[in-house]
Amino acid sequence: MKIEAPFNASGGRFVLLWHELPATQLLTSHWDFMVETADLLLTFRLDRLPQDGTTAILAERLSDHRQRYLDFEGELSNDRGHVRRVAKGNYQLVDSANNLLILALNSTWFTGQMQFQFCDVGEMTKLEFHRRSPISTPLN
C-alpha cells in the first residue's frame, strides 16, 4: 500500500487526539493521529501509544478527516463521543516510497522521526508505527 496523499513540500501540521467513545459504541476509546496534507488529514487509529522500549505498534488507517480537527476539541455529532487534543506540532516529509512513510515530527510530545511501515494484518490493512527517538506520553 502506498500513500498517495499530496504532502506539502514545506511540511505541515499534525495532531494527536484522545477520542473518548460513549459506552453505547462497539469500538473502544483510542488515540487519533492526524497528519496534514494539501487538503485533508491522513488519520490513524492507535489503541496505545509507543513507549520507551517499544519498537513498533499497530495502527489502523482510517478515512481522511477534515482539517478542522487540527484545532478542534469537544463533542462530536451523531453520538460519536468527544475528542481532546493532547499534542500538536509540525512535520517534514523525509520519505514516501511504496509502503513506507517517514516523517520528522517536532512537538512537546515527540521530536524525531516516525516511520510508518504498511503491512496487511488479517482482512484489514494496518501499519507499524515505529518511533525513531524517545517519546513522552501525554497525560490521559
Side-chain angles (χ1 to χ4, degrees):
M1 172 184 198
K2 180 176 175 164
I3 296 232
E4 301 291 342
F7 288 95
N8 298 317
S10 61
R13 299 177 292 166
F14 74 90
V15 66
L16 179 68
L17 302 175
W18 174 245
H19 187 172
E20 185 77 32
L21 292 167
T24 57
Q25 293 285 333
L26 296 176
L27 298 173
T28 58
S29 297
H30 58 273
W31 304 96
D32 287 325
F33 182 74
M34 301 176 170
V35 179
E36 181 181 38
T37 64
D39 55 355
L40 292 168
L41 299 176
L42 289 178
T43 303
F44 305 94
R45 174 193 167 111
L46 310 174
D47 289 327
R48 64 184 180 91
L49 294 177
Q51 301 292 318
D52 287 337
T54 302
T55 57
I57 63 170
L58 290 177
E60 181 182 353
R61 173 78 161 90
L62 300 177
S63 61
D64 294 339
H65 283 56
R66 294 171 289 168
Q67 288 189 349
R68 73 180 288 246
Y69 288 103
L70 285 168
D71 300 306
F72 179 80
E73 289 187 278
E75 291 294 320
L76 301 170
S77 62
N78 301 320
D79 197 32
R80 293 179 295 138
H82 64 274
V83 294
R84 180 173 53 89
R85 186 177 53 249
V86 293
K88 67 179 182 176
N90 298 305
Y91 79 87
Q92 292 289 319
L93 178 65
V94 176
D95 193 10
S96 176
N98 297 321
N99 64 346
L100 181 68
L101 173 66
I102 301 175
L103 301 176
L105 305 180
N106 184 17
S107 75
T108 56
W109 167 63
F110 177 87
T111 297
Q113 290 187 357
M114 286 290 185
Q115 175 178 311
F116 301 82
Q117 181 71 51
F118 291 86
C119 58
D120 289 329
V121 177
E123 294 183 6
M124 300 177 68
T125 300
K126 297 221 176 185
L127 60 88
E128 295 178 4
F129 188 83
H130 294 268
R131 67 176 171 76
R132 305 265 309 250
S133 69
I135 227 170
S136 60
T137 303
L139 299 175
N140 282 337

